[in-house]
């Protein structure tokens, strides 16, 4: 039995919400040649059918609210319900209303900017970017504008990324018009310093790092890396996807980074929403501040205002003022926890990950880069097991699997990030399930899952003959 | 309050298991110079105090419910049923559906969303969403440039100024060239399209609210081998000929008008629709129907070789997180209203905007600027600076007169009407504006 599409629940002439009574004729206002001849084929359902449809769909979906979700580098922590109520307080604000009538919203943005600057050790910040990758693009464009302003734009055409980097890093560099070069990881999983030294030079614009890196390892030579970059005129970019591990304990600014983006939807509890919307503020050191996008929230004698008068700015990266309601949630999180709470959260995210790592090693998993890992670690199954099959087996046992096949430098990688909001017994139950999987017959694993809403799907068919809409007949 | 479940005893036991003496010890391997910096943040607060403080901040704003402000965001009804469904924890707290067996909820809802956007725009496919209308435009134009292998873009001045600014930033990054086509009499003239132009862009209704004749623009683009990109308010497409039927190859826009809270500008969602022939150049996620091993219908992310986490530097875009939940709210809204309900909402806005315009034109010194025919927004020339007018109106509890950027002319203000405005609201605005201008 397939779950029906909303279109299959539709009955011609059935009505749901009626927001208007007695409508006029379109022809009285709009010339006939502009009017569509056939209405769009939208579903026609009553409100209860609508509610049952989406409630039913939600039951075919797992989230942090239902299931342990240890996706590496995604920081699937609990999203406090308080934040949803907080966001609602700011729903009815229009981006173009008189600035005198949005002083509370502007103050909130300004304060959040100050908190994030304090937590990252940066001098200036933009809250405009709508997601982490959007923040990356903003940050790299800022770096580019800086080099161009100094007359080095033509010479510096290369962005360096480690081979363990998130895929968005090289994709961002390409989008910003740069060539990309990968730096290998050393045997300890950290950036190979000698390889980095060979690449640095006047042709390099930036080095993008995430610290701790995607193996969960803190780059212990970060001060040396920063010094080398500085000597070579290379800007050091911090991908904030993994900030949860060190929030409050160490700051990218103190490590020598010039730019940092934050994922408010990872570290600062904005819900992921099945893929978005998120928010990706970008902090920079003072020398890059003139290039940040417009507008910036500023504080003047007559209150808070949006500053557009920034001649060296890279311009606009998003309409209006960014994903404001996400900012409200992050503000609420920081004010609820304070510095001590944030530090405790970071420390427990590390403790949970280290503890789970020990439990998995005990059950036969390997950890190829088994240094002092932090909020996440990358495990490998024993020889002969496929990460994909284990992931599908976990689904059958009621857990969301870790990130699989990433980072690319580890074969059959299982990248595990439990986050601080999970309890000891959940970690133990998960480890138990991971152990159980290794005892399952091969055939059971290869065919799992069995009782999920659907079982393994035919990806090849979808790739060869994608059916992308209900009416798509091709 | 920190949302962590650990008891002191558990922390001790876990520390022991991992061979650490204290939480501090977990950071002992970090360079000494960077650990434990002095950071100044406000003291933590209990939940009720956080809410009180936020309520205080919220009261420093004057809510803009029923605002007459336009320009990409409007005050529409935000249906409680959509809000309630979107708060379902399974939707709210899920990640990107990389494990389709347990993500059919988000995947199927996205497939339905793609269908509805394709229907509205008259195009064959839509991706799973973009951040907003402006970045959807930028990505849509980049798609056109990849498809044509050209680096020139011709954009109508009738496209939202902020969208053009975002487009400019994205195009500069890849070295593409943007030329703006000035409006003539409030509409986009049919331009000569030079060789090397890969995309021609226009917005309908345009930023001034006027209806554009898209077909000749699309034809001019196609004659020169360029693609035509249309920016369209999705609500308007309940009534207006869809871009696809007028020759658009790509349609983009912002979904806020589909029942999403204004939220001071976000998060909303951007939509991006195109022809199936261009699907391999599409940025972002895409959901396809398929079957599972038991032959049941199911949905999954498809053609992922376009995306950053597979292709890295060769990806079509760096987009990862999009605006999935808000896009699904847009789809829920469309399903809640249906074709007839949506048409009624759109039409009431049009009717009230026309009524409002004639009321405001009664005032001395106020003159029309947007030519007819127009849709649900229009621009007037005021006898006073619009910023001052907007402020004076706000002092009277009304939000109206969005100042229009100087590139379009002096003392111009934008007005919008929606299904929320009744005759008495229109009269109240006329009277308040009369006072302000007196």
């Amino acid at each position: 039995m397939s779950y029906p599409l909303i279109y299959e629940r539709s009955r011609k002439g059935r009505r749901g919400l009626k927001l208007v009574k007695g409508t006029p004729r379109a022809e009285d206002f709009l010339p006939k040649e502009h009017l569509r001849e056939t209405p769009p084929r939208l579903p026609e359902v009553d409100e209860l059918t609508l509610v049952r449809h989406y409630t039913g769909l939600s039951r075919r979906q797992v989230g942090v609210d239902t299931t342990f979700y240890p996706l590496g580098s995604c920081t699937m922590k609990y999203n406090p319900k308080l934040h949803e109520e907080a966001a609602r307080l700011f729903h009815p604000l229009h981006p173009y209303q008189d600035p005198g009538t949005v002083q509370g919203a502007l103050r909130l943005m300004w304060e959040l900017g100050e908190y994030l600057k304090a937590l990252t050790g940066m001098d200036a910040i933009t809250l405009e970017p709508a997601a982490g990758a959007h923040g990356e693009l903003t940050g790299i464009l800022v770096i580019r504008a800086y080099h161009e302003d100094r007359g080095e734009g033509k010479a510096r055409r290369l962005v360096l990324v480690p081979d363990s980097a998130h895929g968005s890093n090289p994709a961002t560099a390409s989008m910003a018009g740069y060539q990309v070069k990968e730096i290998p990881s050393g045997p300890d999983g950290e950036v190979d310093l000698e390889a980095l030294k060979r690449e640095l030079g006047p042709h390099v614009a930036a080095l993008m790092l995430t610290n701790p890196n995607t193996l969960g390892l803190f780059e212990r030579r970060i001060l040396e890396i920063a010094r080398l970059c500085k000597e070579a005129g290379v800007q050091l970019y911090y991908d904030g996807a993994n900030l949860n591990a060190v929030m409050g304990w160490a700051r990218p600014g103190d490590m020598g980074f010039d730019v940092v983006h934050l994922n408010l939807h990872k570290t600062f509890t904005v819900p992921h929403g099945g893929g978005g919307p998120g928010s990706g503020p970008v902090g920079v050191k003072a020398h890059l501040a003139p290039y940040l996008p417009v507008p910036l929230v500023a504080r003047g004698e007559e209150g808070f205002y949006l500053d557009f008068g920034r001649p060296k700015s890279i311009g606009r990266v998003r309409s209006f003022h960014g994903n404001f309601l996400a900012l409200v949630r992050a503000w609420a999180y920081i004010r609820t926890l304070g510095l001590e709470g944030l530090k405790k959260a970071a420390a427990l995210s590390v403790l949970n990950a280290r503890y789970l790592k020990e439990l998995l090693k005990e059950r036969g998993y390997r950890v190829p880069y088994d240094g002092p890992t932090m909020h996440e670690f990358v495990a490998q199954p024993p020889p002969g097991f496929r990460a994909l099959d284990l992931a599908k087996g976990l689904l059958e046992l009621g857990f969301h699997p870790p990130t699989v096949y990433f980072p690319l430098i580890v074969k059959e990688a299982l990248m595990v990030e439990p986050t601080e909001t999970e309890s000891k017994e959940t970690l133990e139950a998960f480890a138990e399930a991971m152990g159980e999987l290794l005892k399952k017959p091969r055939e059971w694993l290869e065919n799992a899952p069995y009782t999920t809403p659907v079982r393994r799907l035919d990806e090849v068919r979808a790739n060869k003959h994608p059916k992308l809409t209900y009416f798509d007949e091709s | 309050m920190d949302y962590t479940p650990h008891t002191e005893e558990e922390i001790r036991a876990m520390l022991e298991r991992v061979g650490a003496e204290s939480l501090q010890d977990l950071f002992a391997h970090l360079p000494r110079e960077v650990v434990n910096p002095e950071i100044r943040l406000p003291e933590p607060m209990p939940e009720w105090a956080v809410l009180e403080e936020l309520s205080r901040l919220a009261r420093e704003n004057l809510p803009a419910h029923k605002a007459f402000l336009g320009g990409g965001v409007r005050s529409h009804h935000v249906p409680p049923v959509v809000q309630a469904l979107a708060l379902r924890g399974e939707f709210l707290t899920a990640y990107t559906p990389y494990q389709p067996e347990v993500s059919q909820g988000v995947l199927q809802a996205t497939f339905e969303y793609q269908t509805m956007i394709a229907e509205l725009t008259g195009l064959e496919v839509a991706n799973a969403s973009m951040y907003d209308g402006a970045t959807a435009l930028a990505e849509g134009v980049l798609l056109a440039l990849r498809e044509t292998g050209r680096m020139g873009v011709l954009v109508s001045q009738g496209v939202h100024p902020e969208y053009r600014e975002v487009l400019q930033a994205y195009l500069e990054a890849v070295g593409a060239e943007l030329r703006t086509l000035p409006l003539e009499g409030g509409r986009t003239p049919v331009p000569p399209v030079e060789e090397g132009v890969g995309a021609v862009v226009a917005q309908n209704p345009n930023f001034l609210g006027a209806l554009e004749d898209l077909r000749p623009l699309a034809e001019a683009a196609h004659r020169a081998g360029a693609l035509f990109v249309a920016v369209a308010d999705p609500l308007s497409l309940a009534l207006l000929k869809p871009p696809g039927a007028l020759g658009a190859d790509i349609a983009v826009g912002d979904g806020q008008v589909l029942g999403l809270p204004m939220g001071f500008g976000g998060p909303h969602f951007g939509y991006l629709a195109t022809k199936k022939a261009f699907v391999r150049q599409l940025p972002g996620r895409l959901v396809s129907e398929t079957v599972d091993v038991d032959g049941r219908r199911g949905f999954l992310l498809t053609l992922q070789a376009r995306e950053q986490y597979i292709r890295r530097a060769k990806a079509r875009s760096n987009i990862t997180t999009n605006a999935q939940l808000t896009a699904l709210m847009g789809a829920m809204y469309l399903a809640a209203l249906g074709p007839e309900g949506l048409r009624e909402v759109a039409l009431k806005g049009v009717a009230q905007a026309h009524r409002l315009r004639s009321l405001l034109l009664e005032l001395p010194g106020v003159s029309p600027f947007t030519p007819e025919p127009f849709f649900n927004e229009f621009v007037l020339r005021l006898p006073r600076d619009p910023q001052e007018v907007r402020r004076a109106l706000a002092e009277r509890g009304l939000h109206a007169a969005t100042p229009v950027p100087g590139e379009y002319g002096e003392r111009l203000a934008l007005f919008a009407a929606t299904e929320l405005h009744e005759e008495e609201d229109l009269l109240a605005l006329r009277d308040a504006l009369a006072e302000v201008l007196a």
Side-chain angles (χ1 to χ4, degrees):
Chain A
M1 266 288 285
S2 300
Y3 189 84
L5 286 158
I6 187 94
Y7 278 96
E8 292 159 351
R9 298 180 188 268
S10 175
R11 295 292 178 272
K12 192 155 181 53
R14 192 166 281 168
R15 296 291 305 267
L17 275 182
K18 273 196 80 145
L19 301 180
V20 174
K21 48 182 186 190
T23 41
R25 280 162 24 95
E27 292 78 3
D28 293 345
F29 305 96
L30 305 165
K32 202 165 182 331
E33 68 266 24
H34 283 284
L35 297 176
R36 70 189 296 161
E37 282 138 24
T38 49
R41 288 174 290 182
L42 297 174
E44 297 176 69
V45 294
D46 59 288
E47 187 165 324
L48 177 57
T49 300
L50 180 86
V51 169
R52 291 220 176 115
H53 179 71
Y54 282 106
T55 304
L57 279 182
S58 76
R59 293 169 68 176
R60 296 164 67 78
Q61 177 69 43
V62 301
V64 174
D65 278 5
T66 64
T67 308
F68 180 47
Y69 216 125
L71 268 185
S73 271
C74 301
T75 313
M76 297 298 283
K77 57 165 89 172
Y78 172 62
N79 309 126
K81 301 300 172 192
L82 164 70
H83 300 176
E84 300 311 309
E85 192 164 328
R88 232 172 359 252
L89 294 170
F90 296 86
H91 274 184
L93 298 182
H94 192 288
Y96 291 147
Q97 70 186 83
D98 178 70
T101 66
V102 283
Q103 286 297 300
L106 293 173
R107 175 190 285 275
L108 184 146
M109 293 172 82
W110 186 82
E111 287 180 359
L112 178 65
E114 294 301 304
Y115 306 156
L116 296 178
K117 276 154 61 180
L119 279 167
T120 55
M122 291 288 161
D123 299 315
I125 194 158
T126 171
L127 306 173
E128 285 277 320
H134 199 210
E136 288 179 35
L137 180 63
T138 304
I140 293 296
L141 290 180
V142 163
I143 287 172
R144 188 176 140 148
Y146 166 80
H147 287 313
E148 275 171 7
D149 203 20
R150 292 163 50 96
E152 296 179 4
K154 288 216 160 55
R156 297 188 182 273
R157 298 307 311 143
L158 194 66
V159 168
L160 305 177
V161 298
D163 56 5
S164 62
H166 297 121
S168 56
N169 294 171
T172 296
S174 292
M175 253 189 122
Y178 282 110
Q179 305 291 313
V180 181
K181 176 107 195 190
E182 279 195 358
I183 304 290
S185 304
D188 58 0
E190 296 180 33
V191 169
D192 180 338
L193 210 54
E194 291 312 309
L196 176 65
K197 280 183 193 163
R198 282 195 294 276
E199 297 298 339
L200 288 173
H203 59 298
V204 177
L207 167 64
M208 298 178 84
L209 288 183
T210 183
N211 194 18
N213 65 26
T214 58
L215 295 165
L217 294 165
F218 192 91
E219 300 280 352
R220 283 170 292 191
R221 294 179 292 267
I222 187 60
L223 296 175
E224 169 80 354
I225 292 172
R227 188 180 58 77
L228 291 169
C229 284
K230 192 157 188 164
E231 281 171 11
V234 172
Q235 297 295 296
L236 190 54
Y237 184 96
Y238 185 92
D239 173 340
N242 294 346
L243 185 76
N244 204 49
V246 294
M247 163 176 74
W249 291 92
R251 310 191 295 181
D254 300 335
M255 298 173 207
F257 285 91
D258 301 291
V259 187
V260 51
H261 88 255
L262 300 170
N263 300 70
L264 297 187
H265 46 292
K266 292 179 179 174
T267 314
F268 296 95
T269 71
V270 173
H272 282 84
S279 178
V282 173
V284 297
K285 290 278 179 63
H287 65 285
L288 296 174
Y291 310 98
L292 284 174
V294 286
L296 290 190
V297 184
R299 189 177 201 172
E301 280 173 16
E302 286 172 40
F304 298 93
Y305 66 100
L306 294 165
D307 181 7
F308 289 93
R310 312 185 57 256
K312 289 190 170 181
S313 164
I314 59 165
R316 253 193 189 282
V317 295
R318 191 201 182 281
S319 58
F320 315 118
H321 321 314
N323 282 349
F324 174 77
L325 297 178
L327 308 179
V328 176
R329 293 175 172 96
W331 186 101
Y333 182 62
I334 293 171
R335 294 299 298 268
T336 303
L337 271 67
L339 181 64
E340 286 316 303
L342 294 174
K343 287 179 79 168
K344 184 177 168 199
L348 291 179
S349 82
V350 175
L351 181 61
N352 270 1
R354 288 243 185 115
Y355 183 67
L356 185 52
K357 181 172 79 170
E358 293 308 316
L359 297 184
L360 290 191
K361 284 196 300 196
E362 208 169 66
R363 282 165 178 80
Y365 289 85
R366 293 183 51 231
V367 175
Y369 295 95
D370 195 8
T373 51
M374 303 202 71
H375 68 304
E376 68 188 11
F377 62 94
V378 178
Q380 257 180 336
F385 287 91
R386 295 200 313 161
L388 179 76
D389 294 336
L390 295 169
K392 298 308 181 192
L394 269 176
L395 296 176
E396 188 57 33
L397 300 184
F399 292 97
H400 195 284
T403 299
V404 289
Y405 299 107
F406 186 83
L408 307 175
I409 54 175
V410 176
K411 285 206 170 80
E412 303 299 330
L414 297 159
M415 187 193 202
V416 189
E417 180 183 8
T419 85
E420 71 278 9
T421 56
E422 297 294 339
S423 67
K424 182 167 173 283
E425 62 265 28
T426 298
L427 305 179
E428 287 160 358
F430 176 76
E432 199 62 41
M434 290 289 281
E436 204 178 304
L437 289 177
L438 300 184
K439 296 178 195 135
K440 292 280 187 194
R442 192 58 50 96
E443 204 195 328
W444 186 92
L445 280 176
E446 283 169 359
N447 291 299
Y450 300 92
T451 58
T452 44
V454 295
R455 296 182 58 207
R456 288 197 198 194
L457 291 159
D458 190 342
E459 284 184 45
V460 175
R461 169 179 159 147
N463 266 314
K464 277 195 179 150
H465 308 287
K467 178 170 165 61
L468 304 172
T469 71
Y470 177 59
F471 300 110
D472 182 359
E473 299 293 347
S474 55
Chain B
M1 185 75 185
D2 53 28
Y3 307 108
T4 56
H6 307 66
T7 65
E8 289 300 322
E9 198 181 324
E10 285 170 339
I11 291 175
R12 268 196 304 278
M14 291 168 79
L15 281 170
E16 194 177 323
R17 183 73 182 77
V18 306
E21 291 187 355
S22 63
L23 292 178
Q24 173 83 39
D25 209 17
L26 299 170
F27 301 89
H29 63 295
L30 272 58
R32 192 161 306 172
E33 298 91 319
V34 305
V35 182
N36 267 324
E38 192 188 320
I39 297 175
R40 291 182 54 179
L41 286 179
E43 287 298 306
M45 291 194 286
E47 191 170 76
W48 59 266
V50 173
L51 261 187
E52 265 185 14
E53 176 69 8
L54 280 166
S55 302
R56 204 180 57 72
L57 284 173
R59 281 195 301 275
E60 284 178 33
N61 308 312
L62 182 63
H65 181 63
K66 283 193 162 191
F68 298 93
L69 300 163
V73 171
R74 283 191 304 266
S75 180
H76 284 285
H77 176 59
V78 176
V81 65
V82 173
Q83 293 290 312
L85 291 172
L87 280 177
R88 294 278 308 182
E90 299 87 340
F91 291 133
L92 188 70
T93 68
Y95 197 72
T96 304
Y98 290 136
Q99 297 291 338
E101 297 87 348
V102 293
S103 307
Q104 287 299 297
V106 167
L107 285 162
Q108 180 176 328
T110 304
F111 179 80
E112 293 168 356
Y113 160 85
Q114 290 174 182
T115 305
M116 295 182 212
I117 295 298
E119 277 299 305
L120 282 176
T121 56
L123 286 160
E124 292 159 326
V125 296
N127 77 357
S129 74
M130 308 300 291
Y131 310 133
D132 70 343
T135 55
L137 171 60
E139 293 269 21
V141 168
L142 289 176
L143 188 169
L145 297 185
R146 284 193 296 272
E147 195 61 47
T148 57
R150 299 179 179 184
M151 290 299 261
V153 178
L154 195 53
V155 61
S156 157
Q157 194 190 14
V159 173
H160 194 303
E162 292 194 13
Y163 287 28
R164 281 185 280 136
E165 284 175 53
V166 173
L167 178 60
Q168 172 75 38
Y170 272 67
L171 290 181
E172 244 179 59
V174 294
E177 211 168 310
L178 182 68
R179 194 160 72 74
T180 307
L181 184 62
L183 293 179
E184 287 175 12
R187 277 185 229 289
T188 310
V190 178
V193 181
E194 306 90 338
E195 218 176 296
V197 168
V200 176
V201 188
Q203 178 177 322
N204 185 45
N206 69 24
F207 182 66
L208 305 176
L211 292 184
E212 295 273 10
D213 209 353
L214 294 185
R215 197 186 300 275
L217 297 172
E219 284 167 2
H222 292 157
R223 272 197 303 277
L227 298 185
F228 181 59
V229 182
V231 183
D233 173 335
L235 178 58
S236 76
L237 298 178
L239 289 173
L240 298 180
K241 278 213 174 96
L246 297 167
D249 302 286
I250 295 160
V252 298
D254 194 283
Q256 183 273 329
V257 296
L258 300 179
L260 290 178
M262 296 183 287
F264 203 34
H268 307 145
F269 69 91
Y271 76 80
L272 173 52
T274 189
K275 297 176 170 170
K276 207 165 179 184
F278 304 146
V279 77
R280 280 168 210 278
Q281 292 297 340
L282 254 186
R285 294 177 196 130
L286 203 53
V287 174
S288 174
E289 183 183 313
T290 187
V291 290
D292 77 354
V293 290
D294 295 332
R296 276 178 301 193
R297 178 170 66 193
F299 301 89
L300 44 57
L301 295 177
T302 194
L303 303 177
Q304 296 183 81
R306 301 165 297 110
E307 294 193 63
Q308 53 79 22
Y309 71 100
I310 306 282
R311 285 299 283 281
R312 299 173 78 82
K314 292 194 167 59
R316 299 294 178 255
S317 164
N318 72 341
I319 190 168
T320 310
T321 290
N322 54 18
Q324 204 59 65
L325 187 68
T326 29
L328 297 190
M329 290 167 76
M332 291 172 189
Y333 178 85
L334 291 170
L337 267 73
E340 197 51 35
L342 193 73
R343 187 185 134 82
E344 289 167 0
V345 166
L347 192 50
K348 177 152 181 215
V350 171
Q352 297 303 72
H354 282 74
R355 170 75 179 140
L356 179 64
R357 181 166 175 272
S358 52
L359 284 172
L360 299 185
L361 284 173
E362 289 171 8
L363 304 177
V366 175
S367 56
F369 188 78
T370 299
E372 292 185 73
F374 65 96
F375 200 71
N376 57 4
E377 302 193 9
F378 57 89
V379 172
L380 299 176
R381 195 184 298 277
L382 302 182
R384 266 183 77 185
D385 172 38
Q387 308 232 16
E388 289 171 22
V389 172
R390 181 178 60 177
R391 184 173 317 137
L393 287 170
E395 281 161 11
R396 287 162 176 80
L398 290 169
H399 292 288
T402 309
V404 171
E407 62 171 299
Y408 295 98
E410 293 302 304
R411 288 180 285 109
L412 299 178
L414 183 72
F415 294 83
T418 72
E419 77 283 2
L420 299 180
H421 296 118
E422 300 290 6
E423 176 75 4
E424 70 222 46
D425 302 308
L426 308 183
L427 293 173
L429 176 60
R430 181 199 56 188
D431 296 347
L433 187 61
E435 252 179 68
V436 167
L437 296 179

